[in-house]
Amino acid sequence: MNYMEVKYNNIGNGCGVRTSLFVSGCCHACKGCFNYEAWNRCSGQPFTQEVQEQIIESLKKPWIAGLTLLGGEPMMFYNVTALIALCQQVREVCPEKTIWVYSGWTFEELIQMPEQLELLKLCDVLVDGRFDIDLYSPKLYFRGSSNQRIIKLKETFETGNIVLHEKNNTI
């Protein structure tokens, strides 16, 4: 897996101050994407054990609420295995931290893919759906277009119904 960057002390990609990992590679090619540089899976640099350890260390800081996975597309088949390993380590070392993941696929599509489902079950929140420039609004919390949902995963898996995060509205 390659990644474009890690942003420490990031406040734009989930609740609280977060560590955000931007992975490389995306097949969606959404018109108006803010991170089109990450579409190529060979962009950026290799995700190494050293980078993973730096992320884990950053999560140990008391002001960091958690980890956010975005890109690119974290759910691409070539990213999922490394992200599962990262999230498993986060759950072991920092179980109180939340994990958010962004995907252009919908929840309904992702649960049909075994490895992607495994990753979802390690996460707390999914922001799903392709960015649609025609539905863009700067008044949306933590997403770019109104078709995207902020889904509370634990509650969704427990109830069998999509449970939206309280921030799934506008400012």
Side-chain angles (χ1 to χ4, degrees), residues 40-58:
N40 184 332
R41 72 184 278 188
C42 297
S43 295
Q45 50 199 323
F47 186 77
T48 63
Q49 185 62 37
E50 180 182 349
V51 174
Q52 181 163 320
E53 290 169 11
Q54 290 169 352
I55 289 170
I56 296 296
E57 282 304 309
S58 77

Side-chain angles (χ1 to χ4, degrees), residues 4-170:
M4 295 299 291
E5 71 177 310
V6 178
K7 287 188 179 181
Y8 300 98
N9 302 304
N10 184 259
I11 60 168
N13 298 306
C15 292
V17 181
R18 311 186 68 75
T19 295
S20 296
L21 171 63
F22 291 79
V23 300
S24 298
C26 184
C27 65
H28 303 300
C30 300
K31 180 181 175 185
C33 174
F34 82 99
N35 202 10
Y36 63 89
E37 300 90 358
W39 290 357
N40 184 332
R41 72 184 278 188
C42 297
S43 295
Q45 50 199 323
F47 186 77
T48 63
Q49 185 62 37
E50 180 182 349
V51 174
Q52 181 163 320
E53 290 169 11
Q54 290 169 352
I55 289 170
I56 296 296
E57 282 304 309
S58 77
L59 294 171
K60 292 179 181 177
K61 295 175 180 161
W63 64 87
I64 300 295
L67 173 67
T68 299
L69 308 172
L70 61 170
E73 173 60 72
M75 294 296 183
M76 293 300 296
F77 69 92
Y78 45 79
N79 291 331
V80 173
T81 302
L83 294 177
I84 288 171
L86 171 61
C87 290
Q88 287 172 333
Q89 187 175 9
V90 170
R91 289 290 177 227
E92 290 171 17
V93 177
C94 305
E96 74 285 1
K97 304 296 180 167
T98 61
I99 302 173
W100 284 49
V101 61
Y102 283 71
S103 179
W105 282 296
T106 64
F107 173 81
E108 293 82 0
E109 292 169 322
L110 290 169
I111 62 172
Q112 302 302 314
M113 305 177 214
E115 287 184 306
Q116 288 76 0
L117 176 59
E118 184 180 349
L119 179 55
L120 283 180
K121 289 184 175 183
L122 291 166
C123 297
D124 298 289
V125 175
L126 168 67
V127 180
D128 81 338
R130 292 179 60 165
F131 172 72
D132 184 334
I133 197 163
D134 294 328
L135 300 175
Y136 166 77
S137 172
K139 295 183 177 184
L140 297 169
Y141 285 106
F142 307 126
R143 62 200 196 284
S145 55
S146 61
N147 61 301
Q148 297 171 309
R149 301 174 293 183
I150 305 174
I151 300 171
K152 296 169 84 172
L153 290 169
K154 181 179 179 188
E155 295 85 343
T156 295
F157 285 125
E158 286 174 355
T159 65
N161 297 306
I162 300 286
V163 178
L164 297 178
H165 193 280
E166 56 272 7
K167 294 287 187 187
N168 201 76
N169 53 18
T170 59

